[in-house]
Amino acid sequence: QKEVEQNSGPLSVPEGAIASLNCTYSDRVSQSFFWYRQYSGKSPELIMSIYSNGDKEDGRFTAQLNKASQYVSLLIRDSQPSDSATYLCAVNHDSGGSNYKLTFGKGTLLTVNP
Amino acid sequence: EADIYQTPRYLVIGTGKKITLECSQTMGHDKMYWYQQDPGMELHLIHYSYGVNSTEKGDLSSESTVSRIRTEHFPLTLESARPSHTSQYLCASSESRQGGYQPQHFGDGTRLSIL
């Protein structure tokens, strides 16, 4: 059973701080990693994709991938109250080009306090 | 950004009715997915399709059925709705492209309540 684990939270940070969200996965051959943001009652929205080891930055968001440790994280700099949401880590396990499903973690609830 | 549309957004209906939830996408994506999500809970994949006339059951058993007669359309049907079917249903799509798995993009969802 391929698993994606996230701390369910809630993670509470003050406005302006850095929020750090973590995710581990069980299948070593996983190739593609995504972070989605989901506001309460809404559908998931893609915010970051990462495929290679290292950091990828997009505005206030930085995704970090370490395949040796089977670990992917999301940093949110200068956190805003509008960042308050559940963040879902998603992993595609396929290495041969035939599995197009994503395995989602249960999500981490982030609360940014004004 | 994918344009993927789900209708209706909300549906309240009585037990025993036949229901079809619509999902359409305008991006020509070959892969489409249905997820079920209860409030505050995780996403569960219930159906997926890798192209026309291709449908598979997902990781969570569901009494619903799907069809994929056209690339852009992936409807989900419940033949006889029950209160246990009350949930949010999310449709997603993704494309095949060189350079790695492409992410799924979600529609706004259908919130279904069975009385």
Side-chain angles (χ1 to χ4, degrees):
Chain A
Q1 178 79 4
K2 299 178 177 63
E3 295 182 345
V4 176
E5 300 286 344
Q6 294 182 255
N7 188 326
S8 61
L11 174 65
S12 183
V13 301
E15 184 174 356
I18 296 174
S20 178
L21 303 158
N22 304 316
C23 173
T24 59
Y25 57 95
S26 62
D27 191 344
R28 188 168 289 277
V29 301
S30 299
Q31 297 293 320
S32 307
F33 307 87
F34 308 96
W35 283 98
Y36 287 83
R37 177 176 62 199
Q38 187 174 27
Y39 292 114
S40 180
K42 302 295 186 182
S43 63
E45 172 193 10
L46 178 71
I47 54 173
M48 290 289 283
S49 306
I50 188 165
Y51 301 93
S52 305
N53 278 328
D55 294 359
K56 179 181 178 182
E57 185 175 319
D58 184 0
R60 294 187 297 112
F61 299 99
T62 299
Q64 300 174 317
L65 175 60
N66 184 327
K67 290 187 178 181
S69 300
Q70 296 175 233
Y71 176 91
V72 58
S73 66
L74 179 71
L75 301 178
I76 307 174
R77 290 183 300 282
D78 188 24
S79 295
Q80 301 297 310
S82 59
D83 294 327
S84 298
T86 296
Y87 289 80
L88 303 173
C89 174
V91 178
N92 172 253
H93 301 287
D94 184 67
S95 60
S98 62
N99 175 9
Y100 300 99
K101 296 189 288 184
L102 284 177
T103 300
F104 284 87
K106 295 182 178 181
T108 298
L109 176 62
L110 172 66
T111 300
V112 181
N113 301 306
Chain B
E1 186 173 323
D3 292 323
I4 182 164
Y5 307 100
Q6 292 187 242
T7 57
R9 290 292 313 280
Y10 305 92
L11 179 61
V12 181
I13 200 165
T15 299
K17 302 293 186 181
K18 179 178 179 179
I19 300 166
T20 296
L21 307 183
E22 302 288 349
C23 177
S24 295
Q25 48 93 8
T26 60
M27 302 301 290
H29 288 176
D30 51 347
K31 297 170 182 55
M32 297 188 74
Y33 311 83
W34 276 103
Y35 292 87
Q36 185 175 342
Q37 187 180 35
D38 293 327
M41 304 299 285
E42 63 193 291
L43 285 164
H44 293 286
L45 180 68
I46 52 174
H47 298 283
Y48 61 99
S49 168
Y50 290 167
V52 171
N53 295 325
S54 155
T55 61
E56 300 287 345
K57 290 190 178 297
D59 305 320
L60 179 70
S61 176
S62 173
E63 295 170 345
S64 59
T65 59
V66 292
S67 62
R68 190 88 183 276
I69 299 172
R70 304 197 315 266
T71 297
E72 63 271 22
H73 195 211
F74 191 39
L76 180 145
T77 299
L78 281 162
E79 289 293 333
S80 180
R82 295 207 302 269
S84 61
H85 296 142
T86 295
S87 190
Q88 176 161 255
Y89 292 84
L90 293 160
C91 183
S93 71
S94 66
E95 63 176 327
S96 298
R97 196 163 13 129
Q98 294 288 342
Y101 178 84
Q102 298 305 308
Q104 296 175 19
H105 297 273
F106 286 82
D108 288 336
T110 294
R111 192 171 296 277
L112 178 64
S113 295
I114 309 299
L115 304 177

